[in-house]
Amino acid sequence: MLQGLMEIGLFKPNLTEKSSTSTTDLASIKFKNADGKIVSLADLNGKIIFLNFWATWCPPCLAEMPSVNKLYEQYKNDPEVVFLLVDADSDFAKAQAYMDRKKYKLPVYNFASNLPKSIFKGSLPTTIVFDKKGRVSFNGEGAADYNSPKFITFINQLKALKN
């Protein structure tokens, strides 16, 4: 039902109210993939980072996942855009089983550091987009359609900004 409501436009990412230009110490924010590779957000300097916190037991998270996957499919080969889907339960097997069942190729990560409350307050789903300079350009809580034309335009505008 949530997916249907997103498709008709009820759950659109609010690109104006939750934007910020504050810079965070990205070196202190780290995530780990299933192979154990640690990624610091500072390592992704110069890239747009789409960071999504989710869990397999969270209905709104699962409802927005098709739109996140469609957005990922559009940008997966773009070297300027990086996707990190962080499983709030830190259970790679369960998260990967969900991705495999749905045939999603989204990159799953777990926490490898503490996160500032300004980034993640614990609500699921939460999506944060950092611009190329490491500034929070979007911080949204709750399910949304991230494959909407407005959000795609937003990502493309971030891509057009000089580093």
Side-chain angles (χ1 to χ4, degrees):
M1 184 163 101
L2 280 173
Q3 285 176 342
L5 293 172
M6 283 191 291
E7 287 175 16
I8 63 169
L10 187 60
F11 294 99
K12 295 180 184 176
N14 186 340
L15 298 173
T16 55
E17 289 180 18
K18 296 185 181 179
S19 296
S20 167
T21 56
S22 63
T23 305
T24 305
D25 175 20
L26 298 182
S28 68
I29 302 173
K30 298 177 184 176
F31 302 99
K32 175 176 62 172
N33 70 11
D35 296 328
K37 180 183 176 193
I38 303 286
V39 174
S40 162
L41 292 189
D43 297 339
L44 304 174
N45 187 34
K47 299 182 185 298
I48 296 159
I49 304 167
F50 182 95
L51 178 61
N52 179 270
F53 299 96
W54 70 290
T56 57
W57 51 262
C58 167
C61 300
L62 303 183
E64 77 175 3
M65 202 59 68
S67 75
V68 172
N69 187 63
K70 286 177 186 171
L71 185 70
Y72 172 75
E73 288 296 325
Q74 182 167 339
Y75 290 101
K76 69 181 179 185
N77 295 319
D78 189 325
E80 292 183 282
V81 183
V82 176
F83 285 75
L84 301 172
L85 276 87
V86 181
D87 173 33
D89 290 331
S90 295
D91 185 341
F92 280 122
K94 192 173 182 181
Q96 196 57 57
Y98 170 78
M99 293 295 182
D100 293 345
R101 188 170 59 253
K102 293 294 189 174
K103 297 185 177 20
Y104 297 153
K105 302 294 182 199
L106 295 160
V108 176
Y109 290 82
N110 287 339
F111 299 102
S113 69
N114 291 324
L115 297 178
K117 291 280 186 205
S118 61
I119 299 296
F120 181 58
K121 296 177 188 120
S123 295
L124 295 176
T126 292
T127 300
I128 296 127
V129 177
F130 293 91
D131 69 9
K132 295 177 186 180
K133 294 182 179 181
R135 297 176 298 202
V136 175
S137 296
F138 174 80
N139 188 339
E141 295 178 357
D145 179 5
Y146 290 107
N147 194 47
S148 69
K150 189 174 181 181
F151 198 80
I152 291 168
T153 297
F154 168 69
I155 296 292
N156 289 334
Q157 287 170 340
L158 289 179
K159 284 182 54 171
L161 295 175
K162 297 276 187 239
N163 212 0

